[in-house]
Amino acid sequence: MTLEKLTYPDARYFSSLMEDYLVEKDNLKNLYHRFPALENFQDQIEEKQIEFKQKPKTRKVLVESLLNQYSKLDNVQESLSNICLLKEENTFTITTGHQLNLFTGPLYFLYKIISVINLCKQLKEAYPSYNFIPVYWMATEDHDFEEIQYFKYHGKKVVWNKESNGGVGRLNTDGLKEVLDIFKGQIGTSKNALEIIKLFKTAYLDHDNLASATRFLAHQLFGKDGLVIVDGDDHGLKSLMTPHFKEELLDQTSYHKVTNTIANWPEAYKVQVSPREINLFYLNDNLRERIVFENNLYKVVDTKIVFSEKEILTELEQFPERFSPNVIMRPLYQEAILPNLCYIGGGGEMAYWLELKEYFDSQEITFPILLMRNSALILANKEFEKVQKLDLEIKDLFLKDFQLEERLTRQLSEIKIDFSTQKKHLKNQFKDLYTLAQKTESSFERAVAAQERKQIKGLENLEKRLLKAQKRKLKDFLQRATILQQELFPNASLQERQENFSSLYVEYGSNLIKILKENLDPLDLRFSVIILDS
């Protein structure tokens, strides 16, 4: 096995916002609290500890809710041990979140959770007097079923066709036997393939709803690491949020604070999300719709449900689980109920978290350290051999397809496809003409400049024609390179955003997760390329 690292700019698939965040650009420093460096965790620990000492009930309710959520799961000793540690003032969490994608969805699901697990280990070594618990927050209240109803196995979609309303965590698992039958026909009958089929079957056919199925699946993969899986669709946990939900309904604080942050957003970057006036949904079975305030009444969009102020506050007090935070408020919910130090997420997640610090400050909730999850490209040794035969460097594979072709053509051509010398010579010739032009009228000087531009443009066109001719000559070689690139970057996207972990598990089995744990370092802010032996 071989490990290589690339900077995120070289990896090319990441936003300028994330590239600049990872190098601590000054224009972003007011948008976050502490940078993700090991030495910054001591201050984060002390600040979060003070916050949680002021609300002792929170740890008690958190533990009770988690024990209840784990009550129907078997072989949970490591996770239960960590849940019980959450009672202690010296215990903190490191958290990631993810949608309930069918069979984990894209490969980066694994990278997120492994980043969390590995960071907990590093923090325990650096700060041995504290406990650090890895947490996966299931996005059970999301209602965008189309985003999660499929995964890709070797580029082919495996789709769960079903009607869905409301939070996806409550969705029953009917129809997944048919999905399993289709998947069986694609994955084969090897030992590793049969393990995958068994895992899918037990997770989805032996559990009644998507939240339970996903909890089981994540636990099977990472339970031995003590991963604690949180379902926020919970009466006890929501009861801890009633003061913040009440303020949201009455004062719309999140809207005002996030809008102010956006108004001062650095011009170089795109705003990820914009707040609504009320950033809460009303949640019930088969229903998750926005709450709006109109004509002194609280209305649930696209329903006949209407509340007066008194009625909605009574509803909140009695049924807090019926109030569901959106993308603006969900991070606050998580950080309010967890003794959390650091949130680990993808680039898109980091972008909207950076909009939230002012809102967190207004709620007196410690803003977490934000750490971008590990990203990786996994190559089989046979694929790496192809890279070497093509005389490529790993980072060349991350170029756009036309850039890769041009790079190879210039490298392999027996003719030098570079007219820089000719352009320089031409410019030197025009220097004498400019000297002459300065002694006469300005119209002649403009004519000289126009002629120079024309001739430089002519050389550039000749260079392009020569490059095109050499590309035709090297067509077969370039085609092999682009086919390899397409295999490693399906749909011109990162492997981790397209393929499901099963595609690799069939080849490497459980050793795949072991290798990832050994090679993904969450605090090494570079892109990993892992070359696996066949």
Side-chain angles (χ1 to χ4, degrees), residues 154-313:
H154 287 306
K156 293 183 179 179
K157 274 190 175 183
V158 180
V159 184
W160 181 19
N161 292 309
K162 186 179 179 70
E163 293 294 322
S164 172
N165 296 295
V168 295
R170 303 183 184 190
L171 192 63
N172 67 55
T173 53
D174 293 348
L176 281 167
K177 183 181 183 304
E178 289 77 10
V179 176
L180 177 59
D181 290 340
I182 292 169
F183 188 31
K184 279 181 180 178
Q186 296 179 6
I187 198 170
T189 57
S190 68
K191 177 178 176 292
N192 292 336
L194 293 176
E195 285 182 19
I196 286 290
I197 292 299
K198 181 181 178 182
L199 182 59
F200 187 104
K201 179 178 181 297
T202 311
Y204 292 104
L205 304 191
D206 294 353
H207 293 86
D208 295 332
N209 61 50
L210 193 54
S212 297
T214 304
R215 180 187 291 110
F216 173 86
L217 178 56
H219 181 73
Q220 289 300 112
L221 294 172
F222 297 107
K224 293 299 179 183
D225 299 289
L227 181 69
V228 173
I229 303 162
V230 179
D231 181 355
D233 187 5
D234 183 282
H235 175 88
L237 298 180
K238 290 279 184 71
S239 69
L240 297 171
M241 279 296 287
T242 51
H244 301 288
F245 288 168
K246 181 178 179 181
E247 182 177 334
E248 179 68 10
L249 292 167
L250 299 181
D251 302 326
Q252 292 87 56
T253 305
S254 68
Y255 173 77
H256 296 299
K257 295 300 181 182
V258 177
T259 298
N260 187 59
T261 297
I262 290 173
N264 297 290
W265 194 253
E267 290 184 4
Y269 314 114
K270 180 183 175 183
V271 172
Q272 187 74 11
V273 294
S274 296
R276 298 186 181 276
E277 290 189 357
I278 295 177
N279 291 288
L280 285 171
F281 289 88
Y282 190 75
L283 178 70
N284 220 325
D285 288 339
N286 300 315
L287 172 69
R288 188 180 187 243
E289 293 290 348
R290 289 190 297 116
I291 299 170
V292 297
F293 187 62
E294 295 175 349
N295 302 319
N296 293 317
L297 293 171
Y298 293 90
K299 301 178 181 180
V300 179
V301 173
D302 293 333
T303 74
K304 296 180 179 180
I305 302 171
V306 178
F307 300 98
S308 67
E309 179 180 300
K310 181 179 179 182
E311 288 169 340
I312 201 165
L313 294 181

Side-chain angles (χ1 to χ4, degrees), residues 255 285 318 451 467:
Y255 173 77
D285 288 339
Q318 294 179 351
Q451 188 64 27
L467 179 64

Side-chain angles (χ1 to χ4, degrees), residues 404-419:
L404 177 62
E405 287 188 354
E406 182 171 327
R407 152 111 169 66
L408 276 172
T409 302
R410 291 182 184 276
Q411 176 181 308
L412 297 169
S413 175
E414 296 174 358
I415 304 169
K416 186 178 181 182
I417 311 173
D418 183 357
F419 285 9

Side-chain angles (χ1 to χ4, degrees), residues 377-417:
L377 171 66
I378 299 176
L379 279 77
N381 193 53
K382 60 185 178 182
E383 292 167 329
F384 183 57
E385 287 174 357
K386 291 180 184 178
V387 174
Q388 292 176 313
K389 286 178 182 178
L390 291 166
D391 199 22
L392 290 170
E393 295 181 29
I394 289 292
K395 69 178 182 180
D396 294 333
L397 295 169
F398 289 78
L399 295 169
K400 293 182 179 179
D401 53 2
F402 70 89
Q403 292 173 323
L404 177 62
E405 287 188 354
E406 182 171 327
R407 152 111 169 66
L408 276 172
T409 302
R410 291 182 184 276
Q411 176 181 308
L412 297 169
S413 175
E414 296 174 358
I415 304 169
K416 186 178 181 182
I417 311 173

Side-chain angles (χ1 to χ4, degrees), residues 6 30-31 95 97-98 104 118 121 125 137 144 174 185 198 220 233 249 252 275 283 308 316 387 414 426 433 462:
L6 279 74
N30 65 316
L31 299 177
T95 302
H98 195 65
T104 76
N118 283 351
K121 291 176 180 176
E125 290 178 9
W137 183 288
D144 195 343
D174 293 348
K198 181 181 178 182
Q220 289 300 112
D233 187 5
L249 292 167
Q252 292 87 56
L283 178 70
S308 67
L316 174 60
V387 174
E414 296 174 358
L426 186 63
L433 285 173
L462 284 173

